[in-house]
Amino acid sequence: MEINAQTRLCILIGNPVKHSVSPQIHNSAFQALGLNYVYLAFRVIDLEGAVRGIKALGIRGASVTIPYKEKIIPLLDELDDLAQKIGAVNTIVNEGGKLIGYNTDGLAVYQSLCAYGFEPKDKKIILLGAGGASRAIAFVLAQKLGSGEMIIFNRTFERAKNLAQEIKAKLKANVRAMSLDDALLAQEIKTAKILINATSLGMTPEVEKTPIPKNLLHSDLCVFDIVYNPAKTRLLSEAEKIGAKIIAGIEMLVRQAGEQFRLWTGKPAPLELMFEKGRSALEKITKQDLTS
Ligand code: ATR
């Protein structure tokens, strides 16, 4: 596809962005649908300047990553209701000069669970972590729980407690908080159907770490790890070995990009291709890490 004077631009803003695979994922999708768009990553130090640039240059949209998902909010013109509740934005859409913030992270986890046959409705869910990623997931799943329940476990109990309280105040959902403790986990996990790791435990380079001892896992669980590097974390390997269903972090990575694509272009994303490109780009990064 030719880049010409009508080409529309979407960007990633964050710091660092060097290892992002979003450019490969988004550009492959634009090309597959024959859309005259390109996607580029920018390491941003001056966030206000970058936001002014989006408006001044008529950039169509942006992905927002660490460390700007919260800091970007006061710089935007409007917030989608879910992003407002979560308090973090991972997507900007420029509608004729008006910048609107969205959050597609939680929806991506919901879509992944449904795609694997684990619709959260009326189930007991254990969510590990109470950081930014966990907030996005917790707010979306809380809306889908029906008569089910969600327990947020976190090393820093205060954080889990505050998140659970916030969710209860904003949505009518059965959400509790606990501290990340093996004895407490052992009690609650027996009757749980879904376990989601939204902590950073197990991420490269600390691949030997895992948030939960393997003897607590059971075969009636669906275990979802949002860590995507390595592709299969220790948690997922151990869960797979005992016969639990597993969902890898690439699912959230690609599906959150798929929702961004839809918001920017108005078209459904070619997810299969995006998965393929995402996987191969991540493999390349892993090889580079091993050789550097
Ligand atoms: P993200 O945006 O990826 O969610 P974050 O906001 O820094 O990143 O959150 C990281 C999560 O991983 C938190 O829940 C954190 O627990 P604390 O709130 O107690 O910091 C969790 N986490 C990180 N390292 C951990 C460790 N070694 N043991 C247990 N939890 C850990």
Side-chain angles (χ1 to χ4, degrees):
M1 200 189 53
E2 179 187 82
I3 293 174
N4 57 28
Q6 271 100 53
T7 303
R8 304 186 85 180
L9 178 60
C10 293
I11 63 171
L12 169 64
I13 56 183
N15 187 12
V17 297
K18 200 163 69 172
H19 288 302
S20 172
V21 296
S22 295
Q24 289 94 316
I25 293 175
H26 281 297
N27 285 315
S28 69
F30 292 147
Q31 280 161 24
L33 268 72
L35 299 172
N36 194 0
Y37 281 70
V38 289
Y39 184 100
L40 294 172
F42 291 94
R43 176 174 164 261
V44 167
I45 291 162
D46 171 9
L47 184 64
E48 285 183 29
V51 171
R52 273 200 306 277
I54 293 174
K55 280 195 182 186
L57 301 175
I59 289 170
R60 170 59 178 156
S63 311
V64 183
T65 190
I66 289 168
Y68 298 131
K69 287 185 178 185
E70 284 125 42
K71 291 192 189 102
I72 195 103
I73 289 179
L75 306 175
L76 300 175
D77 298 305
E78 219 175 85
L79 267 192
D80 155 77
D81 184 50
L82 176 62
Q84 171 102 52
K85 286 196 179 92
I86 295 168
V89 158
N90 79 330
T91 311
I92 301 171
V93 181
N94 182 352
E95 292 295 0
K98 192 166 78 175
L99 302 189
I100 309 169
Y102 296 85
N103 193 311
T104 67
D105 286 334
L107 187 57
V109 166
Y110 173 69
Q111 289 173 344
S112 309
L113 288 168
C114 294
Y116 279 73
F118 288 87
E119 156 72 52
K121 191 164 184 290
D122 304 334
K123 298 213 171 60
K124 178 175 178 180
I125 301 177
I126 289 182
L127 178 61
L128 308 178
S134 195
R135 284 184 68 84
I137 297 166
F139 271 100
V140 172
L141 295 189
Q143 289 174 329
K144 310 283 186 184
L145 271 180
S147 64
E149 64 169 332
M150 179 161 59
I151 308 173
I152 303 166
F153 283 82
N154 199 47
R155 175 179 61 181
T156 312
F157 174 67
E158 276 303 294
R159 237 177 151 191
K161 194 181 83 179
N162 292 343
L163 176 55
Q165 271 172 357
E166 232 183 280
I167 294 174
K168 272 196 284 191
K170 291 179 183 170
L171 310 163
K172 283 197 195 85
N174 187 1
V175 182
R176 290 185 281 140
M178 291 192 150
S179 75
L180 190 59
D181 169 278
D182 291 351
L184 296 173
L185 268 172
Q187 261 174 30
E188 298 293 345
I189 203 168
K190 282 182 208 147
T191 48
K193 289 274 185 247
I194 297 171
L195 170 76
I196 302 169
N197 176 41
T199 74
S200 47
L201 283 166
M203 194 185 284
T204 300
E206 297 185 306
V207 296
E208 74 295 343
K209 295 210 168 138
T210 187
I212 175 165
K214 68 175 173 193
N215 62 313
L216 299 188
L217 301 171
H218 58 78
S219 60
D220 200 27
L221 266 180
C222 167
V223 179
F224 191 167
D225 198 338
I226 71 160
V227 170
Y228 57 81
N229 191 0
K232 199 186 275 180
T233 57
R234 176 174 165 192
L235 170 65
L236 291 184
S237 299
E238 290 177 346
E240 193 174 40
K241 269 193 203 123
I242 57 113
K245 291 280 179 310
I246 62 167
I247 306 181
I250 182 99
E251 291 285 334
M252 176 174 164
L253 176 70
V254 168
R255 290 178 194 277
Q256 63 79 29
E259 279 306 299
Q260 296 186 325
F261 181 94
R262 197 181 55 76
L263 286 166
W264 296 330
T265 68
K267 298 192 188 312
L271 279 180
E272 261 179 49
L273 174 75
M274 292 167 90
F275 272 110
E276 195 186 301
K277 293 292 169 183
R279 278 197 192 95
S280 61
L282 282 173
E283 268 168 33
K284 265 189 213 155
I285 286 176
T286 310
K287 277 187 198 137
Q288 276 166 11
D289 282 350
L290 289 175
T291 51
S292 65

